[in-house]
Amino acid sequence: MATLLHLDTSVFPDGASVSRSVTASFREAWQAQHPDGQVIYRDLNAAPVPHLESLGAGAGFTAPADRTAEQAAAFALREQLIAELEAADAVLIGAPMYNYAIPSTLKAWLDHVILMGRTTAAEARTAAGKPATVVASRGGGYGPGTPRENFEFVLPYLETVLGPDGFGLDVEFIVPELTLAETTPGMEHLVEPSRASRARAHEAAESRGKELAARLAA
């Protein structure tokens, strides 16, 4: 039985969020293909994890037997979040672009889960090799050749943290662009490209969810 770790981070609810709708397409395809599988779900907007503070950070550099009671209590959440990642066979993350970066709630989760000598910077990283799918939606266009190409910080950051230099996950990005075209004055000419990008994202998410569920459930 395969386990999917699914994180959503959009500040907008279902029906108003492109990243949520695309991760939902992945998850529905996953569950249709593998109905007996388990899903660990965290809505980091509805239930955000706290920012990493000094006790929890310090505990990560202290042997468990040497931690103070306060450090042990602070590290408990980190242990839970890390264990969820380690228990997953696949990871799904909704990561909309906010102000040229990832949501702060996702950054807070990453700060807890990045642990030197365990999930990163270890000879045997505990999540390495797991497939990860990131739905990186954005209101405009930031691809190669676009006027705002130099403002693309989301994909390089997440590739670094999640990919070979970080957790060692096998990361695939699905990028629905121009999501603000239908509601933003001056973007009317981009409505059709926006709809086409969204349709491709849903198709890619459904295909990826189905393929991973079939592979990991075998």
Side-chain angles (χ1 to χ4, degrees):
M1 182 175 69
T3 298
L4 173 68
L5 174 61
H6 176 187
L7 309 177
D8 273 327
T9 63
S10 174
V11 300
F12 299 106
D14 293 340
S17 165
V18 173
S19 67
R20 287 182 186 274
S21 69
V22 176
T23 60
S25 290
F26 178 108
R27 180 169 168 176
E28 289 165 8
W30 168 284
Q31 292 179 310
Q33 183 70 33
H34 187 34
D36 296 329
Q38 181 181 2
V39 177
I40 302 170
Y41 180 63
R42 283 190 176 272
D43 185 334
L44 294 177
N45 180 66
V49 299
H51 289 294
L52 183 63
E53 296 184 347
S54 60
L55 283 171
F61 295 98
T62 305
D66 297 331
R67 291 171 187 159
T68 65
E70 291 80 8
Q71 283 182 318
F75 192 78
L77 175 60
R78 297 191 68 186
E79 179 61 44
Q80 179 183 356
L81 298 175
I82 291 169
E84 289 175 354
L85 174 63
E86 292 171 338
D89 297 289
V91 181
L92 171 64
I93 301 174
M97 177 189 284
Y98 291 154
N99 301 317
Y100 308 116
I102 62 172
S104 62
T105 51
L106 179 55
K107 181 59 166 61
W109 180 86
L110 287 167
D111 286 341
H112 282 282
V113 175
I114 294 171
L115 183 61
M116 302 286 285
R118 183 169 169 182
T119 58
T120 63
E123 185 174 342
R125 292 167 292 178
T126 53
K130 299 176 188 285
T133 306
V134 179
V135 178
S137 59
R138 58 275 313 281
Y142 299 85
T146 62
R148 293 198 170 190
E149 177 182 357
N150 292 335
F151 291 84
E152 172 56 270
F153 305 112
V154 170
L155 301 188
Y157 172 72
L158 289 178
E159 174 62 31
T160 299
V161 173
L162 302 176
D165 295 323
F167 293 155
L169 301 174
D170 180 12
V171 186
E172 180 172 306
F173 290 97
I174 297 173
V175 186
E177 295 195 304
L178 308 171
T179 62
L180 294 177
E182 296 190 45
T183 58
T184 303
M187 294 184 70
E188 295 84 358
H189 63 295
L190 296 172
V191 168
E192 288 307 314
S194 168
R195 291 173 178 170
S197 178
R198 189 176 308 186
R200 289 193 299 270
H202 280 285
E203 181 179 355
E206 292 170 7
S207 176
R208 174 82 164 166
K210 181 178 180 180
E211 184 272 324
L212 287 180
R215 185 209 313 172
L216 295 171

